[in-house]
């Protein structure tokens, strides 16, 4: 017979008898939450703990010291190599890039101004124009065009220099067309040729030469920037070098206090290598800076002033010619109310500017080879002024033919000879100062040669010496 299982719980609706014992109720047990997982420690934290534990023992401290010494020495060598590489590159840019580009920009200005002068001289000569005079004009136009192409190849697209070069390249054919039209009309005896020449001259004076001067100033600014980069002192590498030497001195003193040993060959090698790099750095940079300063003071500055003198001479010659071409058709009212011929007044201003520039150039020249051509140019300028005054007197008295002969060469002592002599003397001075610049700038650049590689090699040698020196002490604990 199957028994029905019994339950201790009373059936529903049944109440226990009074006084009957009751079963105690068991309260539900709360569910225990799982313990939260501990966050995983980072490799940096574990490494720091290991480093801190190692620092409590002498071998551990020695390993830390060796690693830090090697780090300081390597960092010093790396930064020294990097900074001196940058300065050597800037010095090379001064010598082979920015200064030649600045000189090319000055040549563009000079060629344009000379072409304008030759065009006016050819117009005055008319049918008597000599082939050499015409060839000089064509040569100046070709030189300007070639220099513009070279400058365009070395300029960054979209830069101010590139825009200026593009503007000059556009204006040059227009200018040449006006000159050719003026020349053709002049040969046929048409007075309208003078109007075309005046238009060409105004284009040159008001648009082309200011643009060429802007290009020259831009390239000069680039040159000064390269000079600043090449001459700036490498403070970061010098500071790291002093820090590395201080750390090495401290490590050797610590070694002496604990072992009573005066020298540790590895640490001495590291100290010697770091000292050589630091001294090499200081001496080579000092020498390079002195040579670069010399190349700027007695090269670039002299070249700038000589270019200024040559431009003033060319402009004076152009104004002198245009005075006779225009025959007083262009006047100018001065501040005091005096009415003067614009081109004759311009000649006086440019001659005065030429005299000032020659005086400055003579003061900047540091040897007789540089002073002599400047002094010769000054003497030729004075003769030019005297002959110009004679031509002016003839022109003012109405003797136009005599004035023209005194200017373009038919007279015994024309002003054209004086102008040519001034220009040749200035060209000689420019060649001398250009050579002086190249010599000094080359010396400055060469003073930095080998330092980046030498600093890197010596830094590796110094770091190796520091590690081996500390390793020698560690071997005593094994």
């Amino acid at each position: 017979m199957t028994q029905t299982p019994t339950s201790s719980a009373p059936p529903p609706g049944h109440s226990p008898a009074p006084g009957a014992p009751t079963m105690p109720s068991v309260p539900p047990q709360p569910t225990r939450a799982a313990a939260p997982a501990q966050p995983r420690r980072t490799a940096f934290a574990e490494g720091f703990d290991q480093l801190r534990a190692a620092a409590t023992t002498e071998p551990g401290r020695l390993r830390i010291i060796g690693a830090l010494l090697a780090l300081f020495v390597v960092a010093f060598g790396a930064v020294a190599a990097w900074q001196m590489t940058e300065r050597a590159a800037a010095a090379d840019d001064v010598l082979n890039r920015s200064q030649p580009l600045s000189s090319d920009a000055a040549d563009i200005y000079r060629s344009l101004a000379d072409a304008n002068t030759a065009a006016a001289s050819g117009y005055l000569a008319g049918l008597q124009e000599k082939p050499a005079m015409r060839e000089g004009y064509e040569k100046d136009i070709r030189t300007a065009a070639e220099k513009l192409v070279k400058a365009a190849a070395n300029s960054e697209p979209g830069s101010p220099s590139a825009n200026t070069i593009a503007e000059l390249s556009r204006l040059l054919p227009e200018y040449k067309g006006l000159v050719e039209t003026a020349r053709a009309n002049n040969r046929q005896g048409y007075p309208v040729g003078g109007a075309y020449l005046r238009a060409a001259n105004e284009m040159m004076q008001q648009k082309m030469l200011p643009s060429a001067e802007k290009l020259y100033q831009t390239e000069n600014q680039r040159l000064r920037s390269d000079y600043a980069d090449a001459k700036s002192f490498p403070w970061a590498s010098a500071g790291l070098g002093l820090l590395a030497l201080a750390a090495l001195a401290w490590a050797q003193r610590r070694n002496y206090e604990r072992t009573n040993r005066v020298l540790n060959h590895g640490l001495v090698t590291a100290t010697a290598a770091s000292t050589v790099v630091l001294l090499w750095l200081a001496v080579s940079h000092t020498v390079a800076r002195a040579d670069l300063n010399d190349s700027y003071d007695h090269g670039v500055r002299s070249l700038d002033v000589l270019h200024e003198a040559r431009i003033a001479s060319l402009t004076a010659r152009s104004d002198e010619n245009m005075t006779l071409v225009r025959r007083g058709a262009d006047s100018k009212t001065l501040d005091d109310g005096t009415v003067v011929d614009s081109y004759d007044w311009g000649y006086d201003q440019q001659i005065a500017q030429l005299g000032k520039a020659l005086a400055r150039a003579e003061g900047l020249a540091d040897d007789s080879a540089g002073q002599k051509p400047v002094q010769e140019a000054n003497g030729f300028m004075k003769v030019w002024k005297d002959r110009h005054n004679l031509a002016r007197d003839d022109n003012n008295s109405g003797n136009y033919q005599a004035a023209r002969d005194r200017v373009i060469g038919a007279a015994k002592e024309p002003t054209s000879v004086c102008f040519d002599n001034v220009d040749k003397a200035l060209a000689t001075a420019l060649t001398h100062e250009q050579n002086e610049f190249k010599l000094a700038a080359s010396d400055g650049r060469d003073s930095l040669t080998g330092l980046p590689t030498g600093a890197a090699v010596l830094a590796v040698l110094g770091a190796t010496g520091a590690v081996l020196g500390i390793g020698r002490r560690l071997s005593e604990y094994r």
Side-chain angles (χ1 to χ4, degrees):
M1 182 176 178
T2 303
Q3 295 182 351
T4 302
T6 60
S7 172
S8 59
H14 175 75
S15 299
T22 58
M23 295 293 296
S25 60
V26 180
Q29 298 295 322
T31 303
R32 180 174 296 179
Q38 293 294 329
R40 184 176 180 179
R41 303 193 65 203
T42 63
F44 175 79
E46 292 178 355
F48 180 77
D49 287 343
Q50 293 175 3
L51 185 64
R52 184 171 57 182
T56 61
T57 65
E58 181 60 15
R61 286 191 287 269
L62 287 173
R63 291 188 181 92
I64 295 173
I65 291 172
L68 291 176
L69 290 177
L71 177 62
F72 285 150
V73 174
V74 168
F76 166 46
V79 173
W82 165 56
Q83 289 195 311
M84 299 319 293
T85 297
E86 284 192 336
R87 281 150 184 77
D92 188 71
D93 284 342
V94 165
L95 178 62
N96 295 317
R97 180 173 168 270
S98 51
Q99 198 283 327
L101 287 176
S102 175
S103 181
D104 285 345
D107 285 342
I108 290 172
Y109 193 111
R110 186 202 63 78
S111 297
L112 293 175
D114 197 27
N116 196 50
T117 299
S121 297
Y123 184 90
L124 282 176
L127 295 176
Q128 300 175 3
E129 182 182 13
K130 298 179 181 179
M133 186 180 297
R134 182 65 183 175
E135 177 57 30
Y137 165 78
E138 296 289 349
K139 181 181 178 181
D140 287 328
I141 293 295
R142 287 195 303 269
T143 300
E146 291 170 358
K147 295 290 185 179
L148 284 171
V149 171
K150 182 180 178 181
N154 289 281
S155 62
E156 297 180 3
S159 64
S161 292
N163 295 334
T164 302
I165 293 168
E167 177 69 8
L168 285 171
S169 299
R170 182 185 65 82
L171 291 173
L172 187 59
E174 295 182 17
Y175 169 82
K176 188 175 180 181
L178 289 172
V179 170
E180 292 304 322
T181 304
R183 182 169 178 264
N185 281 278
N186 186 45
R187 282 182 169 275
Q188 298 179 51
Y190 297 151
V192 71
Y196 279 106
L197 185 65
R198 179 190 178 189
N201 181 72
E202 289 180 350
M203 176 182 289
M204 179 65 71
Q205 298 291 344
Q206 298 175 12
K207 294 182 179 180
M208 299 179 72
L209 290 182
S211 294
E213 183 179 6
K214 179 181 178 182
L215 178 63
Y216 177 63
Q217 295 298 334
T218 300
E219 296 303 330
N220 258 0
Q221 181 60 41
R222 181 189 298 184
L223 174 61
R224 288 192 289 270
S225 177
D226 286 339
Y227 261 110
D229 291 340
K231 295 191 298 182
S232 61
F233 189 79
W235 291 107
S237 54
L240 281 172
L242 293 174
L243 181 61
L245 287 177
L248 287 166
W250 173 83
Q252 291 176 88
R253 179 176 178 82
R254 182 181 186 278
N255 182 63
Y256 170 73
E257 290 176 347
R258 282 164 173 73
T259 65
N260 205 30
R261 295 170 185 167
V262 177
L263 297 177
N264 178 292
H265 294 165
L267 295 179
V268 169
T269 300
T271 303
S274 299
T275 301
V276 169
V277 173
L278 188 60
L279 291 177
W280 191 358
L281 178 77
V283 172
S284 66
H285 184 271
T286 300
V287 173
R289 185 184 181 91
D291 288 332
L292 289 172
N293 281 333
D294 184 59
S295 73
Y296 186 83
D297 292 336
H298 301 293
V300 173
R301 290 180 61 195
S302 293
L303 289 170
D304 286 344
V305 175
L306 288 170
H307 283 308
E308 179 184 333
R310 203 174 192 187
I311 289 168
S313 172
L314 289 165
T315 308
R317 178 60 179 171
S318 176
D319 287 340
E320 184 178 52
N321 289 335
M322 290 300 297
T323 300
L324 298 180
V325 171
R326 298 299 297 164
R327 302 187 187 184
D330 299 279
S331 60
K332 177 182 179 67
T333 303
L334 302 180
D335 293 339
D336 60 359
T338 304
V339 179
V340 295
D341 181 274
S342 297
Y343 292 109
D344 194 39
W345 179 84
Y347 167 85
D348 291 336
Q349 299 302 308
Q350 294 301 323
I351 282 292
Q353 183 67 25
L354 173 60
K356 294 177 182 177
L358 289 175
R360 290 164 54 201
E362 185 177 356
L364 289 171
D366 59 342
D367 56 10
S368 58
Q371 292 174 349
K372 183 179 178 181
V374 176
Q375 292 169 348
E376 291 176 350
N378 193 45
F380 293 136
M381 180 199 67
K382 293 178 180 178
V383 176
W384 182 6
K385 289 172 64 177
D386 293 339
R387 295 180 182 179
H388 174 82
N389 288 333
L390 295 175
R392 175 185 287 167
D393 292 340
D394 287 336
N395 190 44
N396 290 339
S397 63
N399 193 349
Y400 173 77
Q401 184 62 42
R404 190 181 75 111
D405 290 343
R406 289 185 184 277
V407 170
I408 65 172
K412 183 179 179 180
E413 297 179 339
T415 60
S416 59
V417 174
C418 301
F419 163 73
D420 290 340
N421 289 335
V422 169
D423 195 64
K424 290 177 182 178
L426 289 175
T428 301
L430 281 165
T431 300
H432 173 76
E433 296 301 336
Q434 184 71 28
N435 291 333
E436 290 287 295
F437 160 79
K438 289 182 177 179
L439 181 62
S442 296
D443 289 342
R445 181 199 58 183
D446 294 344
S447 298
L448 303 175
T449 301
L451 178 54
T453 302
V457 172
L458 288 173
V460 172
L461 176 63
T464 303
V467 171
L468 292 178
I470 295 299
R472 176 64 178 170
R473 282 284 293 120
L474 282 171
S475 64
E476 298 173 2
Y477 289 88
R478 298 191 181 100

